[in-house]
Amino acid sequence: MGIISSTKNQFRTIIQWDDPQEWELFRKFDKRNDEIKNASKLILQPGQGCIFTYEGSIKGVFEEPGIYEIDTDNRPFLTTLKKFMNLFESDHKTGFWFFRTADLANIRWGTRMPITYNDPVYSFPVNLRCYGNFSIKISRPEEFFTRIVAGASNYYAYELQELLLSRISQPIGNYLANAKFSYADIDSNLVKIAAETGVQTEPEFLEFGFDLLDFRIEGSSFDPETEQRIAGISNVQAEAKAAQMAGVSYAELQKMMAMRDAARNEGGMGAGVITAFNLQPAAELVAPAGFSIKEKLKELKALFEEGLLDEAEYKSKKEELLKQF
């Protein structure tokens, strides 16, 4: 049985990456020592490379696809490789690690924690989240192998995500802090934000042995507290605009709205509320100088149609304006 097993090992003369997985970046050629020692060929498919180690040190890197004849090739490193292989005694001395040289596209990312910056229009801190994808390529396999893989038998793209996502939020936050994009400007500037973030993040990728080929932001969202605060401000701005259109002050508009709401309440509370607000006579709510009566009638009708005035109020104000002809 031992003789048969030994004979079979002699026929295993090829070192290759048989079944690379879709998101696999590195894989160790995990075979017995005698199989490695008897190898005569190293085969690299397109999109593959290989790192050879001996006694804990990188002794060579193959980055071009092809068939490398370990026994007969006259290339200086392959001659040295054959000498190393003749000295193999244990798994701890030698290793072949295959790695992906093809582009790795559309790796998903998303900010784990909100990015906080001061909104230049609303003048308070807002919390932003972003998500998108990026594409990379292993450009310095020795650097990546030494710093990240560290001899692991396998390494996958999702492990790389955990490493690099923590380095994306800071460049985005720095850029937003200086770009002065307000809440309403974010979505229309996602391409610009992504381009600048990619420039700032590229050195982080390169530090680990990767080229950043593409970086994209697909969408963004603000936290509920930010949304509520801005919605409240927007409502006030809309009411102030309505007051301007009606030719009244914001305070007067608030009184008119309160009168409308009070009139709708049950139990006859409307009159009491109106008295408490001490509304000014309708005659004082006439069009200011520089506004035509026709324009004010249109604006008054708009307030009525929006429900800010009831029918009695609308007719009363309309009569006041018509008396000015």
Side-chain angles (χ1 to χ4, degrees), residues 142-211:
E142 294 177 70
E143 185 76 16
F144 181 72
F145 180 80
T146 303
R147 298 193 58 185
I148 307 302
V149 178
S153 296
N154 300 84
Y155 195 90
Y156 293 88
Y158 67 83
E159 297 176 84
L160 185 67
Q161 282 179 299
E162 296 299 317
L163 175 69
L164 296 176
L165 285 181
S166 61
R167 287 163 169 79
I168 291 175
S169 296
Q170 188 62 44
I172 296 178
N174 291 341
Y175 178 66
L176 291 176
N178 296 304
K180 307 301 183 184
F181 289 134
S182 183
Y183 169 89
D185 299 327
I186 293 295
D187 285 344
S188 61
N189 286 282
L190 289 181
V191 173
K192 186 182 295 185
I193 297 170
E196 183 62 28
T197 301
V199 170
Q200 294 188 29
T201 307
E202 187 173 4
E204 299 280 356
F205 284 79
L206 193 59
E207 179 183 350
F208 294 105
F210 286 88
D211 284 340

Side-chain angles (χ1 to χ4, degrees), residues 26 50-62 77 80 84 93-95 97 99 140-147 149-151:
F26 269 82
C50 185
I51 290 177
F52 170 68
T53 66
Y54 182 72
E55 293 187 341
S57 300
I58 295 176
K59 297 300 182 181
V61 180
F62 300 88
F77 172 69
T80 305
F84 279 125
K93 283 192 174 183
T94 183
W97 274 268
F99 62 90
R140 297 190 297 170
E142 294 177 70
E143 185 76 16
F144 181 72
F145 180 80
T146 303
R147 298 193 58 185
V149 178

Side-chain angles (χ1 to χ4, degrees), residues 75-125:
R75 303 180 203 187
F77 172 69
L78 291 174
T79 302
T80 305
L81 175 59
K82 185 61 178 177
K83 293 179 181 178
F84 279 125
M85 293 175 70
N86 287 332
L87 297 173
F88 289 170
E89 295 178 4
S90 71
D91 286 332
H92 301 291
K93 283 192 174 183
T94 183
F96 286 89
W97 274 268
F98 289 95
F99 62 90
R100 181 188 180 105
T101 61
D103 297 352
L104 195 62
N106 298 325
I107 301 175
R108 307 298 304 176
W109 69 270
T111 51
R112 192 168 290 116
M113 298 294 293
I115 300 168
T116 302
Y117 70 100
N118 284 320
D119 189 287
V121 172
Y122 297 102
S123 299
F124 59 75

Side-chain angles (χ1 to χ4, degrees), residues 107-111 115 128-133 165 172 190 194 215-221:
I107 301 175
R108 307 298 304 176
W109 69 270
T111 51
I115 300 168
L128 174 69
R129 290 181 182 271
C130 297
Y131 63 90
N133 67 79
L165 285 181
I172 296 178
L190 289 181
F215 183 86
R216 303 189 181 195
I217 300 177
E218 298 174 1
S220 65
S221 63

Side-chain angles (χ1 to χ4, degrees), residues 227-241:
E227 296 278 6
Q228 291 172 5
R229 294 180 71 181
I230 292 180
I233 293 173
S234 297
N235 290 338
V236 172
Q237 290 175 334
E239 293 173 359
K241 181 66 176 178

